[in-house]
Amino acid sequence: MIGHETTFSVLKTIFPQLSNERLVALLSGNARNIFQMPDASIQNNRPASITLFDPAGKVQVNRAFFKSKSANSAFIGMELNGRVAGIVAGNQVTTLN
C-alpha cells in the first residue's frame, strides 16, 4: 500500500516535535488498541514483524522510491525526514534504499 511507504517520514517531517517513541506508539500500539488486537512481543523462536527505521535519515520521494506497483503520491518530489531502513516479517528481512 503506497501510503505505508511514506507514513513514518511524513509524520517525522510535519510533526518534528514528536519524539521517536511517540511516533512508534502512534503507528503500532495505538493502532493495536483501536482494532482490539493483542500486544505484540518479541520472543525467541517466534515469528516477528518489526520495522527498522533511521530517524536521522532523509528520503527523496520519487517514482523509483516506491516498492509497490502504484506510484501516485502527493509527496513525489519532496525530501522527507526519517527513513524506513527495513522490515523483518517472519523469517524474511527486507532492506530498503
Side-chain angles (χ1 to χ4, degrees):
M1 190 175 286
I2 197 161
H4 289 132
E5 292 172 315
T6 55
T7 300
F8 174 77
S9 300
V10 168
L11 291 174
K12 190 84 174 138
T13 301
I14 64 174
F15 297 112
Q17 72 277 16
L18 291 179
S19 68
N20 295 322
E21 292 80 8
R22 182 70 177 136
L23 283 173
V24 168
L26 289 169
L27 295 171
S28 61
N30 286 5
R32 288 185 165 286
N33 290 337
I34 290 167
F35 293 106
Q36 299 176 354
M37 298 171 66
D39 288 339
S41 64
I42 300 172
Q43 299 174 6
N44 283 337
N45 300 316
R46 300 290 311 240
S49 181
I50 303 167
T51 301
L52 310 171
F53 62 93
D54 174 6
K58 301 273 186 189
V59 171
Q60 184 64 45
V61 181
N62 55 44
R63 293 194 189 279
F65 167 81
F66 297 104
K67 300 288 185 190
S68 61
K69 292 180 182 179
S70 178
N72 182 21
S73 173
F75 305 107
I76 291 176
M78 294 179 70
E79 182 178 76
L80 303 174
N81 298 324
R83 180 180 76 82
V84 174
I87 300 165
V88 178
N91 293 327
Q92 184 176 357
V93 178
T94 302
T95 56
L96 306 173
N97 297 339

